[in-house]
């Protein structure tokens, strides 16, 4: 109900992430079976193959942009294995248009005075055109599934088959397209940022990178699969620590429905409250040496002491991110595959950040590559 989500619905459509609670309940009930750990294993199965394809293009001494490589990798895996479409061919119709639409929504939402939506401002025309391009990609995904029964598109087909267990109702094509759009955004943009940060961090800590390399070297010499996750405990810890320091969704908004007192301050009903997830996850009162990259914080014996509201990269409560299992699976398999194939030496001491809607790398993240023998 906050202005942020209201503006997003107006420009991109009503997906699960931004529906008001009254309509969200039925949508979540319908989609929950699509995103169980067992179900997402099928979605993430091709992530390692995409990472292998990227790593094969690397040669000794190459200097690469880790963020660009991560975005190429996630677009390839998400498109071919999950949606049944080559998203790299549609890159101009996905990445930049989504940013244009989302930036417009957040900019409008945070202005004290907003021009009525019926006024055709240049910014609104650009945002609506960007939204139309992304929706056309979503409609193309649905057309492909219906025209070719053999097309491998597990997520799109799962959305077509989804039924509300209470009412038996299916999602309309418009609702499916709205969900595909948010999944394209979350499965590509946010996942790529996490992967690029994790590879950069390991490129700054050779000892930690070697621990990941040893862990993955113990597995059979074949493409990694979701079944390998239990054997990638330390790699998973690296991903969790990357999400702690660099959560792609560093803030969240909620609307106060009644007067509150927070830390001695009065928050009147009707106030939009911004929750700083990144601030919580870097808070020195909650974390020892909070800015140090330390995957051992998430070792099993230490992780049990982390409070449930101390670490919230996917949000918390009933409206936490439904795609958290998919995101963890995707990044862990990709990271393990890349480190198995190459040593990464980060050339920049800092990971510059920018915020358009989610948090992204602000410019290239340079690293020198050395193939593992």
């Amino acid at each position: 109900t906050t202005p942020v989500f209201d503006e997003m619905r107006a420009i991109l459509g009503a997906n699960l992430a931004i529906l008001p609670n009254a309509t969200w309940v039925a949508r979540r009930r319908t989609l929950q079976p699509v995103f169980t750990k067992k179900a997402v294993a099928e979605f993430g199965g091709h992530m390692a193959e995409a990472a292998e394809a990227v790593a094969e293009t690397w040669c000794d001494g190459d200097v690469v942009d880790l963020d660009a490589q991560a975005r190429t990798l996630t677009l390839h895996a998400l498109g071919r294995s999950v949606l049944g479409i080559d998203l790299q061919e549609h890159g101009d119709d996905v990445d930049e248009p989504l940013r244009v639409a989302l930036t417009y929504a957040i900019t409008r939402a945070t202005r004290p005075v907003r021009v009525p939506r019926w006024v055709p401002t240049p910014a609104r025309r650009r945002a609506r055109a960007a939204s139309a391009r992304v929706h056309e990609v979503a409609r193309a995904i649905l057309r492909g599934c219906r025209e070719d029964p053999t097309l491998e598109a597990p997520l799109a087909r799962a959305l077509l088959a989804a039924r509300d267990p209470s009412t038996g109702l299916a999602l309309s094509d418009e609702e499916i397209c709205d969900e595909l759009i948010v999944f394209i955004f979350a499965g590509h943009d946010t996942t790529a940022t996490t992967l690029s940060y994790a590879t950069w961090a390991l490129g700054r800590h050779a000892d930690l990178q070697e621990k990941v390399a040893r862990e993955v070297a113990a597995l059979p010499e074949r493409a990694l699969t979701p079944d390998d996750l239990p054997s990638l405990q330390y790699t998973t810890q690296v991903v969790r620590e990357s999400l702690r320091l660099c959560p792609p969704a560093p803030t969240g908004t909620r609307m106060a429905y009644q007067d509150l007192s927070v830390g001695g301050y009065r928050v009147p009903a009707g106030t939009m409250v911004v929750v700083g997830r990144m601030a919580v996850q870097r808070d020195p009162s909650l974390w020892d040496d909070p800015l140090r990259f330390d995957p051992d914080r998430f070792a099993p014996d230490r992780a049990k002491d982390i409070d449930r509201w101390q670490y919230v990269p996917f949000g918390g409560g009933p409206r936490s991110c439904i795609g958290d299992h998919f995101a963890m699976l995707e990044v862990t398999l990709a990271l393990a595959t890349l480190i198995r194939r190459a040593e990464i030496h980060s050339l920049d001491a800092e990971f510059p950040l920018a915020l358009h809607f989610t948090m992204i790398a602000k410019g290239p993240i340079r690293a020198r590559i050395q193939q593992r023998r």
Side-chain angles (χ1 to χ4, degrees), residues 124-176:
R124 181 162 180 77
R125 285 198 298 269
R126 287 192 297 269
R128 289 179 66 86
S131 177
R133 290 171 68 184
V134 179
H135 274 86
E136 180 50 42
V137 172
R139 286 190 287 269
I141 292 169
L142 286 188
R143 284 197 302 271
C145 288
R146 290 187 168 122
E147 292 170 1
D148 182 1
T150 67
L151 183 68
E152 185 177 12
L155 175 64
R157 295 198 183 283
L159 292 175
L160 283 165
R163 298 292 184 275
D164 185 328
S166 296
T167 65
L169 293 176
L171 298 175
S172 68
D173 281 8
E174 182 181 0
E175 290 169 336
I176 292 174

Side-chain angles (χ1 to χ4, degrees), residues 275-284 286-287 309-312:
V275 182
R277 298 189 188 107
M278 185 173 180
V280 170
Q281 294 178 178
R282 292 180 172 213
D283 190 333
L286 299 174
W287 303 89
W309 301 112
Q310 181 179 347
Y311 179 71
V312 285

